[in-house]
Amino acid sequence: MKIQDIGEQGLLQRLQRFCPAEVVGDDAAVMKTQPGKELVVTTDMLVDGTHFSDRTTSPEDAGWRAAAANLSDLAAMGASPLGITVGLSLTSDTLVTWVERLYQGITECLQHYNTFIVGGDICRSPVNTIAITAFGEASPNRIIRRSSAQVGDAIVVTGVHGASRAGLELLLNLQSGQNLTEAGKVSLIQAHQRPKPRLDVLPFLWDLDSQSPIPVAGMDSSDGLADAIVQICRCSGVGAKCDRASIPIPAALSQMVSTEQALDWALYGGEDFELVLCLPSEKAQILVERLGEGAAVIGITTEANVLLVDSSGVYPDKQLTLNQGFQHFSY
């Protein structure tokens, strides 16, 4: 049996047997350190030719994306960042200026969140790889887990989806954006090259439970909106109904491709780095109002099945799956 036979999810399931069950399964690991605080740790890798390339990503943008991916995982757990370490494997003919520009992009992202590089490692390799470990801190009663959703919860997304996939398409094929204004093109490309981890959402979320903690389930949508919804539902033992008309899609994307293509990229394009949260309906409405443009309630959790539904009755209900988005080792 080869890895390609079981795919990314199959491999992860096998490897999770070597870890404590109560630690793995979310966007980051949570470990008790001192009374009233818990350490949140996450690791993410970007590989040249798989996650970035000179064709679409400058060294500064690769660094930004690497840092943002890890900070997004902390946000998805409800944790505030403390610092990161950077591991690099580099080819011998990599330009020194490329590495310096990479670190410039990393620090440009981190400085928005008062976070710093606190260590790392470098080694020689046949392919350039960036491996970042991020450390965060959270109160025990404010950890966000995938397994906390309850039947009847509202499903909230903190921003638009499909923008990053559209930005990648523009970088690969500029002719695909003929119907867009220059500002529209820039907004989509920026969404791909410089995603913003939604750490800014956490103060709004915690303000909702100032009197007493509310149960919140969630993860980020880095692997796609559909992936996040399905993963949360599986871990929580619930289903979901998501209204296709409620999914926030950027205006520039709607001008660029058909309605069906835009929805597909929103669901399965990935790398939008928004948060997908499940929480009581009345709290969800308040959160969306406070977050403003882009945030939306897109559905509700149910007892069974994860469905994309159409309130207008034009389209049939459709099962959301993990199979249509990007998966490592699938060909």
Side-chain angles (χ1 to χ4, degrees):
M1 181 181 293
K2 298 179 181 179
I3 294 176
Q4 68 186 42
D5 297 325
I6 61 173
E8 179 184 1
Q9 293 298 322
L11 180 61
L12 287 173
Q13 289 176 8
R14 287 171 177 257
L15 296 180
Q16 285 178 354
R17 294 179 298 178
F18 297 93
C19 307
E22 68 275 11
V23 173
V24 299
D26 286 294
D27 287 74
V30 180
M31 294 177 285
K32 296 185 183 299
T33 53
Q34 57 179 315
K37 292 293 180 182
E38 292 188 334
L39 181 67
V40 181
V41 184
T42 182
T43 297
D44 204 67
M45 291 196 298
L46 275 74
V47 180
D48 191 0
T50 299
H51 300 97
F52 65 93
S53 72
D54 291 339
R55 183 181 174 189
T56 60
T57 314
S58 69
E60 291 88 346
D61 291 336
W64 179 293
R65 282 166 52 81
N70 283 269
L71 295 184
S72 182
D73 281 341
L74 293 182
M77 298 294 297
S80 301
L82 297 172
I84 72 166
T85 60
V86 182
L88 292 181
S89 65
L90 302 166
T91 62
S92 298
D93 60 355
T94 298
L95 296 176
V96 173
T97 54
W98 188 93
V99 181
E100 292 174 332
R101 291 172 63 190
L102 176 79
Y103 269 66
Q104 181 63 35
I106 292 173
T107 54
E108 285 175 1
C109 180
L110 294 180
Q111 68 186 6
H112 289 277
Y113 308 98
N114 195 31
T115 307
F116 304 93
I117 300 171
V118 296
D121 191 26
I122 295 175
C123 70
R124 185 177 63 183
S125 169
V127 61
N128 287 349
T129 301
I130 311 161
I132 290 181
T133 297
F135 304 87
E137 189 175 56
S139 300
N141 61 353
R142 286 183 169 169
I143 296 290
I144 300 172
R145 297 190 182 278
R146 300 179 188 181
S147 57
S148 301
Q150 303 176 34
V151 172
D153 279 351
I155 303 171
V156 172
V157 292
T158 58
V160 298
H161 280 76
S164 179
R165 177 63 182 83
L168 176 60
E169 186 69 20
L170 286 171
L171 290 166
L172 293 173
N173 178 18
L174 287 175
Q175 298 302 314
S176 60
Q178 291 180 338
N179 296 331
L180 298 179
T181 64
E182 194 59 32
K185 292 179 183 178
V186 170
S187 68
L188 295 176
I189 290 173
Q190 281 289 100
H192 180 72
Q193 292 181 331
R194 299 250 166 162
K196 296 178 180 179
R198 297 307 306 267
L199 288 159
D200 62 300
V201 171
L202 301 184
F204 292 99
L205 189 59
W206 304 146
D207 188 54
L208 297 175
D209 70 352
S210 55
Q211 302 300 319
S212 60
I214 59 173
V216 180
M219 62 181 289
D220 78 359
S221 60
S222 56
D223 289 330
L225 175 57
D227 177 276
I229 295 169
V230 174
Q231 297 263 27
I232 293 169
C233 289
R234 283 188 178 182
C235 291
S236 298
V238 300
K241 287 186 178 180
C242 300
D243 185 0
R244 58 184 289 142
S246 299
I247 296 172
I249 294 173
L253 174 55
S254 297
Q255 297 165 7
M256 178 180 168
V257 297
S258 68
T259 300
E260 282 303 293
Q261 183 68 81
L263 179 64
D264 184 73
W265 284 357
L267 289 171
Y268 298 106
E271 297 189 322
D272 287 300
F273 293 102
E274 295 291 339
L275 300 184
V276 181
L277 305 169
C278 297
L279 64 161
S281 181
E282 66 277 8
K283 300 291 187 181
Q285 292 294 342
I286 295 172
L287 178 63
V288 166
E289 290 172 8
R290 292 180 179 177
L291 291 178
E293 186 177 0
V297 173
I298 64 168
I300 190 169
T301 53
T302 60
E303 292 185 356
N305 299 319
V306 183
L307 299 174
L308 181 68
V309 301
D310 176 37
S311 55
S312 70
V314 175
Y315 298 94
D317 294 354
K318 183 166 64 173
Q319 188 94 23
L320 293 180
T321 73
L322 299 177
N323 301 325
Q324 289 180 246
F326 176 78
Q327 294 288 323
H328 289 284
F329 313 115
S330 61
Y331 300 96

